[in-house]
Amino acid sequence: MAKDQLHVLNALDVAKTQWYHFTAIVIAGMGFFTDAYDLFCISLVTKLLGRVYFHVPGSEKPGTLPPRYSSAINGVALVGTLAGQLFFGWLGDKLGRKKVYGLTLMLMCLCSVASGLSFGSNPNTVMITLCFFRFWLGFGIGGDYPLSATIMSEYANKKTRGAFIAAVFAMQGFGILSGGIFAILISAAFDARFPAPSYEEDPIKSTIPQADFVWRIILMVGALPALMTYYWRMKMPETARYTALVAKNTKQAAADMGKVLNQEIEEEQPQGVEKLGTKTVWGLFSKEFARRHGLHLLGTASTWFLLDIAFYSQNLFQKDIFSAVGWIPAAKSMNAIQEVYKIARAQTLIALCSTVPGYWFTVFLIDRIGRFVIQILGFAMMTVFMFALAIPYNHWTHPENRIGFVMMYALTFFFANFGPNATTFVVPAEIFPARLRSTCHGISAAAGKAGAIIGAFGFLYLAQNTDPTKTDQGYPPGIGVKNSLIVLGVINLLGLFFTFLVPEAKGKSLEEISRENEDEEEEEPSIV
């Protein structure tokens, strides 16, 4: 502990794990549960949207979303998320974490419902309104990233802080899993109630009129988990670190945390603490920030950017795996509702076997072996498996090798989640000063979403077959899946190298790792 550490902050750092820690994890985690459900459930219904709104009479294959709509529906939420991360990250440092925390949740709830109510008299209007509401849904989701991470880091003790922040993020896994399970249940119920022939048997009757309700229900249900925690989110007090170090109200910080910890916390400051937080006047764009944290911000932003290129591009070969193992038969052999069921089952199995376990391995080990080791290990193993998939790619495409292909794919997902997908979320919430913590986390997260946009869409085009006659409908030729996987392997390797810019925060107080208690050698006016 620094010699001039505030009593209230020290009390938080050494507090034993108790009920309020788990309450905070649930309250913040439900936001992430909703984030993941809303972001990933769209992939469950895009095939259905194509069948419902873009059927081509006389075609041998069911209708599919045109590339412009497919890209827009998926991409607009990512763009909204990027914007929300920057805006709410900045706002969380200016107004306080709690003041804007409820706003992001309500925005997510309202836009989840509105997405399902997307209206219009023709397919184009329905798609445009859906894209509009999904942008604002993403905007709310983006705000939840820096605010939830910062709130959890500032509530936690230093011994188990990494596990608590990672547990909030791990709720994403349950959100993905729940989206798949709910889609399975709703599609099975509709298929049982409204049986229909396959597309090859009857192209028109294979898509029942009630299919339009299925995708709308799946999207709207995402609002329920977050809505149930709104009241508790509003009851949470402002974090002591914001109140004491940014708002400069140590009396209020002590009172708030005294209620939370169920103990009396001394209000007086030790000698010299009246200067704490008052001499640190440099801003985000100052030379002092660049000297102290410039490389740290470069490290957190670049590693998140590189990770998300690889992580979001994994859907490139997802369809190869699902088809190879027979999880998803040919589209024409199913009706519209059955196709939703098969896609949801496949996503649920992947989430259950690799995504969720990977997250919780991080939760259990991050405070034992540290953030740095987990991130290095994750990037290293992702690199290995990407190259192992890429170099003998033709070998894996043969039916007799499909089990190995699935295992490689699952392990790549596992080490993304037991690795940089979790640690890139945790570290930016720990290593920056309190008054810039939410902003810097938002910048790092926004860099990640920029990588996600490149991964989800740039590589969608890049991975197209080099032969123009074998590309997906509406896409130009690319470099092929094999070469794309090699590029992704190199990207993971770069992520490993940039990890060396990020300091280890295990076992240290937030003020110690951010050097917030140090006297300034030079004072520089704040720019922001």
Side-chain angles (χ1 to χ4, degrees):
M1 182 185 72
K3 62 181 180 180
D4 52 3
Q5 175 79 306
L6 289 169
H7 286 304
V8 64
L9 304 188
N10 183 50
L12 284 169
D13 281 339
V14 300
K16 293 181 179 180
T17 299
Q18 49 191 280
W19 183 246
Y20 91 90
H21 286 117
F22 297 107
T23 304
I25 289 171
V26 172
I27 294 170
M30 270 305 172
F32 267 86
F33 181 100
T34 304
D35 296 350
Y37 183 102
D38 289 336
L39 279 179
F40 289 95
C41 72
I42 195 68
S43 64
L44 301 172
V45 299
T46 48
K47 296 278 190 184
L48 180 61
L49 288 170
R51 288 198 187 222
V52 172
Y53 292 106
F54 296 95
H55 170 69
V56 179
S59 174
E60 292 184 3
K61 296 180 180 179
T64 58
L65 284 176
R68 68 182 186 280
Y69 285 134
S70 179
S71 297
I73 288 171
N74 288 283
V76 74
L78 296 178
V79 173
T81 303
L82 189 156
Q85 287 164 337
L86 292 172
F87 177 73
F88 285 109
W90 169 78
L91 206 61
D93 283 333
K94 290 299 177 185
L95 301 181
R97 291 56 160 130
K98 182 189 175 181
K99 285 185 179 179
V100 291
Y101 204 30
L103 181 60
T104 61
L105 199 68
M106 284 311 300
L107 195 57
M108 286 191 291
C109 292
L110 290 173
C111 291
S112 290
V113 174
S115 295
L117 296 175
S118 296
F119 52 84
S121 57
N122 60 67
N124 290 334
T125 315
V126 174
M127 294 301 114
I128 289 168
T129 54
L130 178 58
C131 287
F132 175 80
F133 290 124
R134 281 192 64 78
F135 172 84
W136 291 108
L137 173 65
F139 194 70
I141 288 171
D144 224 46
Y145 273 72
L147 293 173
S148 290
T150 301
I151 285 171
M152 198 65 244
S153 72
E154 293 180 346
Y155 264 99
N157 61 53
K158 63 183 179 180
K159 185 178 179 182
T160 57
R161 185 179 61 240
F164 290 159
I165 304 172
V168 170
F169 192 64
M171 294 297 285
Q172 277 197 335
F174 290 125
I176 296 169
L177 189 64
S178 298
I181 291 172
F182 181 73
I184 287 172
L185 295 175
I186 201 75
S187 58
F190 269 76
D191 193 42
R193 178 68 179 81
F194 307 103
S198 67
Y199 184 86
E200 57 188 354
E201 291 173 328
D202 191 325
I204 301 299
K205 291 183 178 179
S206 69
T207 304
I208 56 173
Q210 294 83 359
D212 194 50
F213 293 115
V214 172
W215 70 268
R216 295 177 185 275
I217 292 170
I218 290 172
L219 294 188
M220 287 193 287
V221 163
L224 295 178
L227 200 59
M228 289 189 293
T229 59
Y230 180 78
Y231 171 76
W232 300 105
R233 189 174 279 207
M234 290 297 90
K235 283 193 68 177
M236 290 178 76
E238 182 57 86
T239 70
R241 285 183 161 89
Y242 184 88
T243 304
L245 300 177
V246 183
K248 309 294 193 304
N249 190 341
T250 55
K251 182 177 181 180
Q252 185 63 48
D256 288 343
M257 291 305 104
K259 293 177 183 177
V260 167
L261 294 169
N262 293 317
Q263 68 181 68
E264 188 174 338
I265 299 176
E266 189 177 347
E267 294 177 10
E268 296 81 11
Q269 303 177 27
Q271 187 177 0
V273 174
E274 65 275 2
K275 299 180 180 179
L276 183 62
T278 61
K279 298 183 74 174
T280 312
V281 293
W282 38 267
L284 179 66
F285 300 108
S286 66
K287 291 179 182 177
E288 189 63 23
F289 179 86
R291 182 179 73 83
R292 287 170 171 263
H293 299 292
L295 288 177
H296 297 163
L297 185 57
L298 174 62
T300 57
S302 60
T303 50
W304 207 334
F305 172 77
L306 294 164
L307 174 274
D308 272 7
I309 292 177
F311 188 74
Y312 278 82
S313 64
Q314 288 190 71
N315 62 12
L316 290 175
F317 48 103
Q318 190 162 296
K319 63 180 183 296
D320 296 330
I321 289 177
F322 292 165
S323 299
V325 298
W327 287 351
I328 301 181
K332 65 181 181 181
S333 67
M334 300 177 284
N335 65 42
I337 303 299
Q338 288 169 345
E339 189 171 30
V340 174
Y341 177 87
K342 296 286 187 180
I343 293 170
R345 188 182 66 172
Q347 180 172 302
T348 302
L349 285 169
I350 289 292
L352 195 60
C353 296
S354 60
T355 305
V356 172
Y359 280 126
W360 289 96
F361 262 72
T362 300
V363 172
F364 292 127
L365 294 175
I366 192 168
D367 287 311
R368 291 179 171 85
I369 63 177
R371 294 82 166 130
F372 180 82
V373 171
I374 290 176
Q375 189 159 310
I376 287 288
L377 176 66
F379 270 127
M381 297 306 291
M382 287 173 71
T383 303
V384 168
F385 288 119
M386 283 291 185
F387 284 138
L389 283 168
I391 295 170
Y393 181 71
N394 293 332
H395 168 79
W396 297 119
T397 59
H398 297 304
E400 64 270 19
N401 301 320
R402 62 192 184 187
I403 299 301
F405 195 46
V406 171
M407 290 178 65
M408 289 285 189
Y409 177 73
L411 285 169
T412 305
F413 252 119
F414 175 81
F415 281 105
N417 294 311
F418 177 46
N421 194 39
T423 54
T424 52
F425 175 81
V426 172
V427 174
E430 299 181 302
I431 64 176
F432 298 106
R435 65 202 163 71
L436 297 173
R437 185 170 291 133
S438 179
T439 300
C440 290
H441 194 284
I443 292 170
S444 302
K449 277 299 167 281
I453 292 167
I454 292 172
F457 305 107
F459 276 83
L460 190 61
Y461 286 86
L462 200 64
Q464 293 297 318
N465 201 295
T466 53
D467 184 349
T469 63
K470 296 181 180 179
T471 61
D472 292 342
Q473 185 177 359
Y475 291 90
I479 64 173
V481 173
K482 176 177 180 175
N483 291 328
S484 295
L485 289 172
I486 291 173
V487 172
L488 292 174
V490 172
I491 286 171
N492 285 320
L493 194 59
L494 286 173
L496 187 153
F497 292 135
F498 275 100
T499 298
F500 286 92
L501 297 176
V502 183
E504 176 59 74
K506 178 170 74 81
K508 299 177 181 178
S509 74
L510 294 177
E511 289 66 48
E512 183 182 357
I513 189 63
S514 66
R515 298 164 58 192
E516 200 160 1
N517 286 348
E518 295 182 10
D519 289 333
E520 311 295 330
E521 294 180 4
E522 298 179 22
E523 293 191 17
E524 187 177 337
S526 176
I527 295 176
V528 293

